[in-house]
Amino acid sequence: MLEKLSFAGLLRMPVCVLAATIFAHSPAHAAMSDWADNQGGRMRLVALAPDAQGHVRAALQIEPAPGWITYWREPGESGIPPQVSPAPNGGMTLAKMSFPVPKPITVGAIQEIGYDAPVTLPLDFRVEGKQPAKLELTAFIGLCKDICIPFQAELSLPLSTAGQAEPHEQALLDAADASLPQAPAPDFAIESHSLSADAKTLSLRLTLPEAAGEAPLIYVTGPAGYVFFKQVSGKRDGKSFATDIAIGKLPKNYDIKDKSWGVLVIDGDRAMETTLAFE
């Protein structure tokens, strides 16, 4: 269970080194920006040309240095979730940022959720009004090893030529999409969910793709900044699985009515992501 984290609480080690803002601009006629480098790793922007509807398919590539990690959208007991912000008045809005299937990472007694290998986060942009000459954004991530380094970079790509006849970039974005959790399916879905009257326990019943195996990993994302993953009990009966997730302290006066939480379930080599609606 997890309480909402302050910025100080995001740093799991006592030493925090703030990286200087780095500007990484692409050369002309490129669909990738230059790498922005940091002692804990590097990142860059990849994008294709806008389609006829003003949709820009893009991604943030992150490569942690050996031994370093970066984080999922809800990082766990500590960490810094990735953030992408289009440039103000840049003529672009970020409609969606997606996250490939993460892994649990344990550092001492600390439980985290993230990536210890290169990861590509798909980005979905929309052009507002007249198409701008460039896609410009600020990316902010955390890279952690013995220290945790907030890493910020300004990334830019020319939109007029981005993605034209660039099969490498197309393949990279396709691979990133393929790494995302799947939507619910008949053989992999949440069958029922309920929150206890005291809001301390979330009961789930699932259909899993396999009839045997270890208990699945389950991450429940509640209000922004909260993630719950401690299973109090779990019973696998063929492809049916029932479990209770311990819910920690929620925001003061939080009302679950009409709220929707996210849930990610990882069972073997498959992962499924959906929402839990509370009436």
Side-chain angles (χ1 to χ4, degrees):
M1 59 184 177
L2 189 84
E3 296 186 13
K4 188 171 178 66
L5 300 173
S6 65
F7 180 77
L10 293 173
L11 306 178
R12 72 164 195 264
M13 294 295 176
V15 179
C16 173
V17 178
L18 179 62
T21 298
I22 298 173
F23 292 84
H25 295 281
S26 68
H29 309 296
M32 293 181 177
S33 71
D34 291 334
W35 287 104
D37 293 287
N38 171 284
Q39 73 179 86
R42 61 183 188 170
M43 59 180 167
R44 70 178 173 184
L45 176 63
V46 182
L48 301 182
D51 64 17
Q53 290 73 45
H55 164 232
V56 177
R57 190 178 174 205
L60 180 67
Q61 272 191 291
I62 305 172
E63 291 190 356
W68 291 72
I69 64 172
T70 193
Y71 294 98
W72 188 53
R73 59 188 174 91
E74 293 292 355
E77 296 183 351
S78 68
I80 302 171
Q83 301 172 42
V84 170
S85 303
N89 303 316
M92 303 290 293
T93 58
L94 177 61
K96 185 178 182 181
M97 178 164 62
S98 301
F99 290 83
V101 179
K103 64 184 293 184
I105 299 172
T106 302
V107 181
I110 297 174
Q111 300 254 339
E112 300 178 317
I113 309 167
Y115 312 95
D116 58 4
V119 62
T120 302
L121 309 181
L123 305 171
D124 182 7
F125 290 97
R126 294 290 187 272
V127 175
E128 287 189 324
K130 182 180 178 181
Q131 179 181 312
K134 295 180 179 181
L135 170 58
E136 298 177 294
L137 58 83
T138 300
F140 181 73
I141 65 172
L143 294 166
C144 290
K145 189 180 179 183
D146 298 324
I147 57 175
C148 189
I149 302 177
F151 179 21
Q152 179 169 297
E154 307 295 328
L155 304 173
S156 174
L157 276 178
L159 280 178
S160 57
T161 56
Q164 292 181 2
E166 295 288 354
H168 176 70
E169 286 74 16
Q170 181 76 48
L172 189 151
L173 295 177
D174 288 346
D177 286 344
S179 70
L180 300 178
Q182 68 183 75
D187 68 336
F188 200 2
I190 305 291
E191 298 300 332
S192 65
H193 65 278
S194 62
L195 187 66
S196 62
D198 61 2
K200 297 295 185 182
T201 304
L202 175 68
S203 297
L204 298 174
R205 180 171 293 278
L206 302 81
T207 296
L208 299 178
E210 301 295 334
E214 301 292 329
L217 295 174
I218 301 175
Y219 300 112
V220 176
T221 54
Y226 293 75
V227 59
F228 311 105
F229 47 81
K230 183 179 179 181
Q231 296 188 39
V232 177
S233 61
K235 181 179 180 181
R236 192 163 191 156
D237 183 8
K239 293 187 177 183
S240 178
F241 183 76
T243 189
D244 292 333
I245 306 292
I247 303 299
K249 186 178 179 181
L250 291 168
K252 186 177 181 179
N253 299 322
Y254 183 78
D255 184 0
I256 192 67
K257 183 177 173 58
D258 297 327
K259 300 293 195 307
S260 291
W261 288 3
V263 60
L264 170 67
V265 182
I266 304 170
D267 188 42
D269 60 359
R270 289 180 64 182
M272 179 271 297
E273 191 168 30
T274 187
T275 57
L276 306 174
F278 297 91
E279 298 179 351

